[in-house]
Amino acid sequence: MPAKRRRIAIAALLLILLCGLLWLNIRRKENLIVAAQGREAFRIAFVPDGSAIACGGVDGTVRFWDVNVDWWRSRRVLKTFTGHRRGITQLTFTRDGTLMATADANGEIRIWDVAQSALRRVFPARKDTIVALTLFPDDQTLAVTFDPPYSSPPKYGPSWLELWNISSGKRQRVITVIQARGISVSPDGRFYVVRHDLDSEKKCCEPKGELRRLSDGKLLRVMQGFGYDIGCCTTLFSPDEKTLAPITGVGFAQTWDVTSGKLLHTFSTHASPFFGVAAFSPDSGWLAIGGGGWGINPHTPVNLFSVKSPAVSRDIGPYLTTENAVVDVAFSPDSTWLATSRYGIGVQVWRIK
């Protein structure tokens, strides 16, 4: 082969190789396997500056995985927080990322100084199931919500909300609601919502939601038909506190207007009767809902809905086996990426914008 043709052939091969590497880099940035921890990854949350994903595992360890790396570099653990004796069930940050709150299956809550990777406070273990942790913007108040376990026929006990001072470690307030199916607090600590589906005689009735002011408990709105008869997994406030979303376990979800108390939209999901996870994007424009698995619902992609136009939706992730249930979802601070945690796969990050 003449030298000129050989040079052209080599240049063409190098160009093809370069295009392949660029394609691989783009594809990997569309779907990043951040933490292939298999069944260890359970709770996830983006660090508020977007530099890492916090993964709480069944081993009781929280690991910060670096996400700002290119395809040729290995994913690495930036920080590790140890001390919990059982798996992490809840994980959240303050808005500035200085503090992190975690809870485990024993009901123990820990507050961490993120910059120093140091433990700041431990709240004693509880036998009750911790449903959610919320760190208020003052960085001094921790809200802990508890729900009674699901049973059929319904035998619901009280739901309650506790407010704790992080600095002193003292409980400031307890709000208990009898015959409730769940209680959720808003991110800024201004409101809380209670879901009921039992009447005064403890018989099933049409579900309703009560929106109350946290400072004095004043009733602001009553929302009839809030959620469905069974399996209401959780209720979410959007970050701008304009929208409520009760995530039900019968394959449906709703959005409600906080100001008017009116139902905005109803849409179908892949959530299962006993398992459902959801999150609003930080810009309050998207709602991601996951669940399924364990033979209950074989379709396990995450549903991604536009809050204003639920018809604008798509599935995130493949249709996998019933064992690959989605156990948590989380948005990046700029609402560009969606992280999902699946049993048997680990943590993946998907570009949504």
Side-chain angles (χ1 to χ4, degrees):
M1 179 184 294
K4 184 176 180 180
R5 290 186 178 180
R6 188 163 50 249
R7 288 195 298 270
I8 293 175
I10 292 174
L13 289 174
L14 290 175
L15 181 60
I16 293 173
L17 179 61
L18 178 61
C19 291
L21 293 177
L22 290 174
W23 178 86
L24 179 63
N25 193 26
I26 293 173
R27 290 294 297 170
R28 180 152 178 171
K29 288 185 176 181
E30 292 289 332
N31 175 15
L32 304 177
I33 307 297
V34 175
Q37 301 179 78
R39 294 181 182 271
E40 293 183 7
F42 191 67
R43 289 300 178 199
I44 57 175
F46 275 88
V47 175
D49 65 5
S51 62
I53 295 179
C55 301
V58 296
D59 61 353
T61 301
V62 178
R63 300 174 178 87
F64 283 16
W65 288 84
D66 188 5
V67 295
N68 294 327
V69 296
D70 291 309
W71 64 270
W72 60 82
R73 293 172 55 189
S74 300
R75 306 277 158 205
R76 57 196 176 102
V77 176
L78 301 177
K79 293 178 181 288
T80 301
F81 300 81
T82 59
H84 283 288
R85 289 169 291 179
R86 293 191 63 186
I88 304 298
T89 59
Q90 299 296 331
L91 190 159
T92 189
F93 291 91
T94 54
R95 293 190 176 183
D96 60 6
T98 57
L99 297 178
M100 176 178 68
T102 57
D104 64 22
N106 279 335
E108 182 183 79
I109 300 173
R110 291 177 174 240
I111 306 296
W112 307 86
D113 184 311
V114 174
Q116 302 297 324
S117 300
L119 180 65
R120 281 193 52 174
R121 185 165 296 280
V122 178
F123 294 96
R126 301 279 297 272
K127 294 182 179 179
D128 309 300
T129 302
I130 297 174
V131 175
L133 300 177
T134 304
L135 286 165
F136 289 168
D138 63 6
D139 294 345
Q140 291 297 318
T141 306
L142 172 69
V144 188
T145 54
F146 302 86
D147 271 1
Y150 174 82
S151 62
S152 182
K155 296 179 181 179
Y156 306 142
S159 293
W160 64 100
L161 165 66
E162 297 182 353
L163 302 180
W164 292 80
N165 183 275
I166 295 175
S167 297
S168 66
K170 294 182 179 180
R171 188 169 58 187
Q172 298 174 318
R173 188 179 172 195
V174 179
I175 300 173
T176 303
V177 184
I178 307 299
Q179 299 176 12
R181 191 61 185 99
I183 183 169
S184 300
V185 64
S186 64
D188 283 342
R190 294 192 298 160
F191 311 110
Y192 68 94
V193 64
V194 182
R195 181 182 180 272
H196 298 274
D197 55 14
L198 295 177
D199 59 20
S200 59
E201 298 181 356
K202 299 184 179 180
K203 295 181 180 180
C204 289
C205 61
E206 181 184 9
K208 67 178 181 180
E210 295 180 349
L211 181 69
R212 294 180 177 270
R213 194 161 55 201
L214 184 61
S215 59
D216 57 7
K218 181 180 178 180
L219 179 62
L220 302 176
R221 309 275 185 278
V222 176
M223 296 163 283
Q224 296 292 342
F226 189 81
Y228 284 81
D229 292 338
I230 62 170
C232 185
C233 300
T234 187
T235 300
L236 301 177
F237 280 87
S238 62
D240 61 9
E241 297 189 345
K242 294 181 179 180
T243 308
L244 275 169
I247 310 302
T248 73
V250 290
F252 294 93
Q254 300 172 325
T255 53
W256 292 74
D257 182 74
V258 172
T259 302
S260 65
K262 293 183 179 180
L263 175 65
L264 298 175
H265 303 287
T266 300
F267 38 92
S268 59
T269 74
H270 294 308
S272 70
F274 304 102
F275 197 82
V277 292
F280 275 103
S281 61
D283 63 6
S284 301
W286 296 94
L287 176 63
I289 304 173
W294 298 298
I296 298 171
N297 188 338
H299 307 301
T300 57
V302 173
N303 299 122
L304 184 65
F305 297 96
S306 169
V307 173
K308 293 183 178 180
S309 303
V312 179
S313 65
R314 66 179 188 268
D315 287 345
I316 301 295
Y319 283 72
L320 299 174
T321 67
T322 57
E323 294 183 357
N324 298 125
V326 179
V327 294
D328 206 4
V329 293
F331 284 92
S332 63
D334 60 1
S335 303
T336 300
W337 301 86
L338 175 68
T340 63
S341 177
R342 291 176 180 267
Y343 274 121
I345 294 179
V347 179
Q348 297 172 287
V349 183
W350 309 84
R351 184 187 294 276
I352 61 172
K353 289 186 179 180

